[in-house]
Amino acid sequence: MLKRLALAISLTALTGCGVAYISPKVSDAGDDVRVLKLTADSVRVANGAPYRPKELPAVFFANAGSGGGMSAGGGGPAPSIDRQNRPANMEIRLLPEVNPGPYEIGVGDVLLLATKTAGNNTVEELSGLLAAQNARQGYTVQDDGAIAIPDVGRVRLAGLTLEEAEAMLFQRLVENQIDPTFSLEIAEFNSKRVSLGGAVGNPTVVPVGLTPLTLDAALAAAGGIATSDLDYASIRIYRDGTLYQIPLNEYLSRPNVQKSRLVDGDSVFVDTEYELARAQAYFEEQIRLAEFRQGARVQALNALNSEVTLRRNALDESRDNFRAQMEMDAVDRDYVYMTGEFRTPSRFALPFGREASLADAMFETGGYTTEKANPNQLYVLRGSPEPGRPDLVTAWHLDASNASNMILATRMQLRPNDVVFIAEQPITRWNRALQQFVPSLITSGAALSQ
């Protein structure tokens, strides 16, 4: 009995001396370790250490439409509108009054021609002229300015008013010995148009017909003005190389301005970006797009799409290769090492292109539990940058038992090869010591009992 008691006392003494269990800790007993309390001032000092985060490869910042080598018609005009500042005032340039005269028939217009029918004649018994009209539901003015009428031939009507066109048709019907009793109407107006864009409900193209097309009617056809910024919005009209400007407030307050007459070829742009150059760029872009479409547009766009697809596939492949290298740990990375009583001791990879804080590393790796870890003993260990003292270590001490000090953890920027260490709770140390020597004590006691 006395032997077992002496053995227990001996093991307890050894444990108290740290022989049975040794736990890691940070000590500044020597000259090679400096322990500094982590405060707002010391955080600024620690963050002053020079460091440039590693960057992602340039392939992650490229896009399939950038760089040289693009063919296929140049890909169209480049964007022409930049961010602008609001001006102090806006210049007013009103549209001049115009009177283009009676409507002139143009290419693309659809004409409805009807002749006189006699008695109860069926459609089959009508003249060739009327039968053709019924079958086609009108005649479209073709690119040479003429319409083709059965038994009459081609009659050029482009550039004529309705009255002049009727006189022309009357003469041709008489020449071909056809009853010249007829009526002529324009069923579809396609040759004269006004385009509307910008801050409108539905950008569109509005045809110009027999009745004058006014500015308010054209805007209504485009869904109205779609902007809440009345003070700095304006309406720009591009006509024959000249740009006119009407501030929106001026337009709304003057009925005569709302009734400004538009003519074929006008372009209307509701602008909310404050500068005349923006609208000018818009119309120039429309002109360039129209010129671009006149060529082999379909072939050019197909070639451009193919080139973009090839570039996109090459970029995706390069990015996938880089990700695969990262998964196989074949990429040079900067790491911070998490040790001690963290939930998962591990290494934390510093991110590309930005710095990471102590809080980032702690929570990305799972943090710690207060059952085992001592939040009062949290350290960031950093080697000395001084060439003459490579063995010098600075230990930035954070007392995380005060939750308000975690703000400092969000500001403390980590550097490559930093070691973040958190010590164990005293009770944890004692429990681990017991786990080591109690089995030995039981074994020894069993041996003595024999």
Side-chain angles (χ1 to χ4, degrees):
M1 183 66 180
L2 291 176
K3 290 181 179 180
R4 288 196 295 269
L5 178 60
L7 178 60
I9 294 173
S10 176
L11 290 173
T12 302
L14 289 175
T15 302
C17 296
V19 175
Y21 177 75
I22 300 174
S23 62
K25 64 179 179 178
V26 175
S27 173
D28 58 350
D31 295 334
D32 55 351
V33 178
R34 295 183 302 178
V35 178
L36 300 178
K37 183 178 180 181
L38 202 61
T39 63
D41 291 334
S42 61
V43 163
R44 283 192 290 270
V45 174
N47 292 347
Y51 170 59
R52 184 175 181 178
K54 293 184 181 298
E55 295 289 344
L56 285 169
V59 68
F60 282 90
F61 302 96
N63 60 75
S66 66
M70 284 294 180
S71 58
S80 58
I81 301 173
D82 299 323
R83 185 178 180 86
Q84 305 162 43
N85 296 321
R86 292 185 173 185
N89 50 45
M90 302 177 69
E91 181 182 357
I92 302 176
R93 297 180 186 177
L94 297 179
L95 278 170
E97 295 185 4
V98 292
N99 184 12
Y103 185 87
E104 294 181 353
I105 298 170
V107 175
D109 287 344
V110 177
L111 305 181
L112 185 62
L113 181 63
T115 61
K116 180 179 179 180
T117 59
N120 295 323
N121 289 347
T122 63
V123 173
E124 290 78 4
E125 295 172 336
L126 295 176
S127 67
L129 174 64
L130 183 57
Q133 186 277 324
N134 285 338
R136 296 182 61 185
Q137 294 297 315
Y139 296 89
T140 300
V141 180
Q142 300 174 5
D143 56 1
D144 63 350
I147 61 175
I149 304 175
D151 299 331
V152 175
R154 300 187 67 81
V155 181
R156 182 177 177 82
L157 300 179
L160 303 181
T161 65
L162 271 176
E163 183 178 356
E164 294 169 343
E166 288 173 348
M168 174 67 72
L169 286 173
F170 181 86
Q171 180 180 353
R172 294 296 298 273
L173 292 174
V174 171
E175 291 174 355
N176 288 274
Q177 298 181 354
I178 299 175
D179 185 355
T181 303
F182 67 92
S183 66
L184 179 66
E185 299 178 2
I186 301 178
E188 296 181 18
F189 298 89
N190 298 320
S191 63
K192 297 173 177 57
R193 298 184 174 187
V194 171
S195 63
L196 292 98
V200 294
N202 181 30
T204 186
V205 176
V206 179
V208 178
L210 296 178
T211 58
L213 178 62
T214 59
L215 181 56
D216 57 347
L219 289 172
I225 297 173
T227 178
S228 58
D229 192 351
L230 302 182
D231 295 331
Y232 293 97
S234 63
I235 301 172
R236 274 76 182 266
I237 302 97
Y238 186 75
R239 175 185 295 172
D240 296 333
T242 303
L243 193 60
Y244 302 93
Q245 175 173 278
I246 306 172
L248 187 55
N249 282 330
E250 191 75 14
Y251 167 80
L252 295 175
S253 62
R254 296 175 61 174
N256 61 319
V257 174
Q258 299 174 20
K259 297 299 180 181
S260 298
R261 184 170 181 175
L262 301 177
V263 296
D264 178 38
D266 283 353
S267 294
V268 181
F269 183 83
V270 180
D271 187 13
T272 58
E273 294 295 329
Y274 325 124
E275 289 188 5
L276 196 61
R278 177 186 175 93
Q280 183 71 45
Y282 167 79
F283 296 120
E284 291 176 354
E285 187 174 41
Q286 299 305 307
I287 293 173
R288 289 196 299 270
L289 284 172
E291 294 172 348
F292 174 74
R293 295 189 186 101
Q294 290 176 359
R297 180 178 62 180
V298 175
Q299 294 82 353
L301 288 179
N302 288 339
L304 179 60
N305 288 335
S306 298
E307 187 170 350
V308 169
T309 300
L310 290 174
R311 289 174 59 86
R312 182 179 294 113
N313 292 339
L315 290 174
D316 290 342
E317 183 178 4
S318 297
R319 293 164 184 167
D320 291 340
N321 289 340
F322 181 79
R323 294 187 184 100
Q325 290 176 339
M326 289 183 59
E327 292 177 359
M328 294 184 290
D329 202 16
V331 176
D332 184 22
R333 298 291 302 271
D334 291 328
Y335 292 99
V336 170
Y337 300 89
M338 316 295 291
T339 185
E341 297 301 320
F342 284 103
R343 194 187 303 271
T344 306
S346 59
R347 64 179 185 177
F348 168 72
L350 292 176
F352 290 101
R354 66 176 181 86
E355 296 183 348
S357 67
L358 173 59
D360 292 334
M362 291 170 57
F363 289 97
E364 281 287 338
T365 56
Y368 58 85
T369 63
T370 54
E371 295 178 359
K372 294 182 179 181
N374 184 1
N376 185 38
Q377 299 294 318
L378 178 62
Y379 297 88
V380 177
L381 308 177
R382 182 173 300 171
S384 173
E386 302 176 14
R389 294 296 308 274
D391 58 336
L392 181 61
V393 175
T394 301
W396 308 94
H397 176 213
L398 176 64
D399 180 8
S401 62
N402 184 352
S404 62
N405 287 340
M406 288 301 295
I407 292 295
L408 297 173
T410 66
R411 299 173 182 172
M412 175 67 177
Q413 301 298 327
L414 298 176
R415 296 292 183 261
N417 299 321
D418 279 355
V419 176
V420 182
F421 169 76
I422 185 168
E424 61 189 349
Q425 290 276 15
I427 186 65
T428 302
R429 185 183 305 113
W430 173 247
N431 287 338
R432 288 173 177 170
L434 288 177
Q435 291 174 4
Q436 287 190 17
F437 75 79
V438 167
S440 299
L441 180 60
I442 295 174
T443 302
S444 299
L448 289 174
S449 65
Q450 295 175 1

